[in-house]
Structures are given as C-alpha cells and as structure tokens.
Amino acid sequence: MLGKLTWDAIPLEQPIPMIASGVVALTILAILGWVVIKGHLPYLWREWITSVDHKRIGVMYTLLAMVMLLRGFADAIMMRMQQSVAFHSQGFLPPEHYDQIFSAHGTIMIFFVAMPFMIGLMNFVVPLQLGVRDVAFPTLNSVGFWLTATGALLVNISLVIGEFARNGWLPYPPLSELAYSPGVGVDYYLWSLEISGAGTLVAGINLVTTVLKVRTKGMNYLRMPMFCWTTLATNLLIVAAFPILTATFAMLLLDRYLGFHFFTNEAGGNVMMFVNLIWAWGHPEVYILVLPAFGIFSEVISTFSGKPLFGYRSMVAATMAICILSFMVWLHHFFTMGAGADVNAIFGIATMIIAVPTGVKVFNWLFTMYGGRVRFQTPLLWSIGFMVTFIIGGMTGVLLAVPPADFVLHNSLFLVAHFHNVIIGGVLFGAFAGYTYWFPKAFGFKLHEGLGRAAFWCWLIGFYVAFMPLYVLGLLGMTRRMQHYDVPEWRPWLIVAACGATLIMCGIGLQIAQLVVSIRRREQLRDQTGDPWNGRSLEWATASPPPAFNFAVLPHVTDADAYWESKQRRFDEEPQYRDIEIPRNSATGFVCAFFATIMGFALIWHIWWMVAAGAIGAFATFVVFAWRDHDEDVIPTEEVARIVRRHWAQRHALLSREAAE
C-alpha cells in the first residue's frame, strides 16, 4: 500500500534532523495560522498563489531563493563547525549525516538559491525593460515557478522522512547506483531535480521567447539594456543544457528502477559517460548562473556612475561569446580521467580563451566608472566587491585550467575555494546587488542603507576569512568532503574558516534585520517618483510598484538608454488611453505542483497507485486549463487613466517640492 515507506523512515534516533524539522514545521504552522487568523488567505490566493503577473512570480522566485539560502547556509555552518572540531575525533555529526549535509548544501545552493534568485530577477525586470506588459507565456511562467518550488519541497521533506543523497551535489556513479546507495536519498535528489529542472526549462523557453519576440516599438536588439542581453544568453543556455541534465538523470533513474546499465561497471555500462554528460550540462550551468549577474552589474554600475555603459557593443559580443564558448570547456572538470595530453591541452586552452570576454566586461565596467559621478550606495558596493572577488576566483580558475596543476589540486579544498570564489563573489553578490537595486521598484520603498552597508561588509570580509584558508588547505593536500582528519597543520586554517562562516552568518542576520526595519519604516523610505536611483532603462518609467499592466501606453524607443533619453524631453500632451487586456489569474501552476509533489514523493517511495493518481490529476489540470473560455481580464480606460494620473501627480508634487527646497 505504501511501498517502501515505513515508520523507520523517520530518523527518531537522530536529534539534529528531528529538531531542525520540528523548528521548520512549527514556523510554517505559525505563519499559516497567522495568515488564516488575520484573514489574509483570500488575498494570498488571489494576488500571489494564482497570479500569472511576471512581477509577482519574480518576487516569489526571489522569496523562495532567500528562504532556501537560510536552509543551505545552515548546512554550510554545520560543515565548517564540524571540521573545526573533528581533529582526532568524530565531531558532532556522524559520517552518514555529514555526507547528507554536504550533498544537500550544494544541491540547495545551486538549484534552489542561485537559480531561483536569478530567474526571479529576470522575470521581474526583463518585461519592464523591454517596455511590454508581460512575458510571452504568463500561465506557463506560473507553472515553472511552482514546479521549482515542488523540487525544493521534496528536498526539505527528505530531512524528516527518509534521507538525502550522500554522494555530493552531483550523483556520480557507481556510488549513486542501487548497489551502493540502496536507500531513497539518491531518489529524492533525482526526482526533485527532474521536477524542478522541468520548471527551469519552462522558464528558459519563456524568457528566450520574450526577449526575441515581445519587445516594444523601436526596441531593436542593440537598444536592449545589457540585462536583457545576458537574460537572452542565459536562457539560450538553459534551453540547450537542461535537456542534457534531464536525460542524464532519467538514465540514472532507469538504472536504479528498472535495472538498466547506462552507468554501471558491468553489462556494457560506462561510468565516464555520466561524467561527460553531467559536465556538458554543468559548465554551461556556471554561466547560466553568472551571466545574469553580469547584466545586473552592468545596470548598477552605469546608473551609479551617471554614464552610459562603456563599450556597449563589445559587452554584447562578450556576452554571446561566453554563451557559445561555455559549451566547449566541460572536460576541464575531469582532466584526471586519462583522456590524454592532447585532449587536456585543447580544453585547457579553451578554458583560458573564455576568460578573455569576461576580462572585456571587467574593463568596460571600470571604464564606465572612470570619469563618472560615482555614488557609493549599497548596490554599487556589491558590484565593486564582486569585481575584486571574481577576478581572484577567475585567476584561480585559469590556474586549474592548466592540466599539470589540476592533477595536483584536483578534488582538494583549493577547488572548493575557487568554486565558491566564483559563485559567491559573482552570483550571490550579483543577486544581492539586483535585490537591493530593484527592491524599491517592486515594493515602493527603499531598503535601509546603513544596514545594507553593514551586511555587505560582513559578507565581503566573512567570505575572505572563510574561503582564503581553503586555498592554503588545498595546497597542503586536504581533500574535500572529509568528516574528520588527523593532520595537525590543517586545524588552524579550518578554525579560521569557521570564523569566516560566522561572519557571513552575521551578514545574513543583518540582511534579515534590514528587511524588517525597512518594512517598519517604509513611509520614511517611500519612493513616490518610481525612479529612486535616477535610472536609465524603462523599468524606472513606471510607478513603484508598477501597475498590473506595467505601461498604460507602450513606449516608443529611439535610444539604448531609453528612459534616460526620454527624461531629457518634455511631454505636455497626455497620451490617449485605451482598455488594456491582461492575463487572467490561474491556479494551473499551483495545482500542477500539488500533483507533481504527490507524484515525486510516490515515485521516491514506490507507491505506484499514488503515482497514477498524481499523473491523472496533473493531466486533468492541463485539460481544464486548455478548455478555458475566458483567459483575459480587461482594465477599463477610466481605471488606467486614474492609476497613471495619480502616479504622475505624486511625482510632480514631489519634484516641485524638491525644486522649491
């Protein structure tokens, strides 16, 4: 009846997961209780859960990423603390629990923090920058988000029912095959990422179509903001790379469930084929994460320097060069496989070549700042911190691209330090820069500047204290994923790294405090102009937060910095308003995710009747959606005019008051 699921699946004898899951469950119940008691549930259902508005979906992606950041960082701090005390001892984490923690940490941070954060920012900003009212496929956008949330939910369910994978954030065979991992941990990993990967692919198709086919009048390719270009490159990579991931995991699932031999050591299987396939996805994935951050830094640096982006066309060329070259370097992840000197040399040279367009971007950012009226506010601080940190990470990456050096440093903590140098310094710093920069556009008030600066410095200093020692440990020969160790020279460096992780924890605490304080002081931090940073692109032409229809009249673009150019001209005539059609809210995404959760959980535990019920429910949901008679709502002309006139009245009053002062 319940397949492999028994009471033994709940780890009652392990206090850490039980306490953690209890705290999470109580927190969720408390939030749900508060929502119901306060009467907010109808509002949440109507305005958020069933929304197909790209802005709401972008905010929900970002919120998911921030919540999962707390979970992923909890794993990180436990790892650092374990290694700081596990000298000649077992520490406080048993080996089987420690293995699950480092596997969950990597999985969560890549798939459920970095990816949703970047997709959320792209969802929110890109249609506004393109001067349009929504993405190409609004309901599909909702489905993509809720499938991603389903994957995150399944990973967290593994904390209390069953176990998570113990083989790292990538499930290398033969360890992930049924003979060596007979439990459900690998199945939790595979099904959560198959489901969330489908959501990511949906988002990628949607955003590629939006950038290529849904642009306002006059917005040709070389007038698009740089963030739109990096969005295009990122989502082209998603569309090309994520099917590889889906197919690879599907083959591993066939090995585990039906006794196939794609990646076994016998019956014609080939373990190295898995490594080839996973990194054919995995290296483009690095640029899927960091290219949107490059676009964010381009927007922030240009705005806070008061200048157009230096070398716009070279930035476009560099972005698309990275998009293409990222598919030509995957083998540098396994130089030690024995492919031979010629193959290793080719991929080593390709890896060094891909550093060139990245260097072009860094110089263009520096030249943008040079001679500008630079305002050192929090978004720009994240950008400058990124440039310094990412350059160090990039140089260590070029070092690892030299095959003889990689033979020495392969699988050591040097590699861990390099990877975090790039992902934290590039992706997370970019996400925080974009979050701070576009927050007033999303919610109508700025984030507290003082707490934002304090959080930045804790993150920056904490990063260097936490990860620079890992370079030293790698050179001293410490391999990754060690639950305990017996080498006395390693311990001081590990204690320093744990102190750095504590500093990062302080940075996260300050970011939470910044959000709470900003909400409480929102009237003091209110943005009534819609343009708090004196921005250059079209998202700043709307109210903060933007109305459901974004633009009452779609703008006509004549310049690369469309909004900056329009601010130089005066508009005396009010435009002719018309009725506006917007997509109708739909529960399709949420309901599909509900059935996907049931299916995923049932597949993990081999509850086949539940699998069938979930599949039927998901199919029925799509049939009902396909047969809808009315899929759009109409905002009448009078309502459009009222919303726009109120915004401009507030804006003119504020500007007049500032001019008088």
Side-chain angles (χ1 to χ4, degrees), residues 27 78-79 96 121 128 137 151 179 203-204 233 254 308 340 344 357 426-427 459 472 502 516 554 581 614:
T27 303
M78 283 196 287
M79 285 190 289
E96 65 277 4
L121 292 173
L128 291 169
F137 310 113
L254 288 170
N344 285 357
V427 180
W459 264 97
V472 178
T502 305
V516 171
L554 297 184
E581 293 181 344

Side-chain angles (χ1 to χ4, degrees), residues 78-99:
M78 283 196 287
M79 285 190 289
R80 292 276 74 86
M81 295 304 173
Q82 164 71 15
Q83 289 191 323
S84 68
V85 301
F87 174 63
H88 283 314
S89 77
Q90 290 296 313
F92 62 91
L93 291 174
E96 65 277 4
H97 191 194
Y98 181 78
D99 292 349

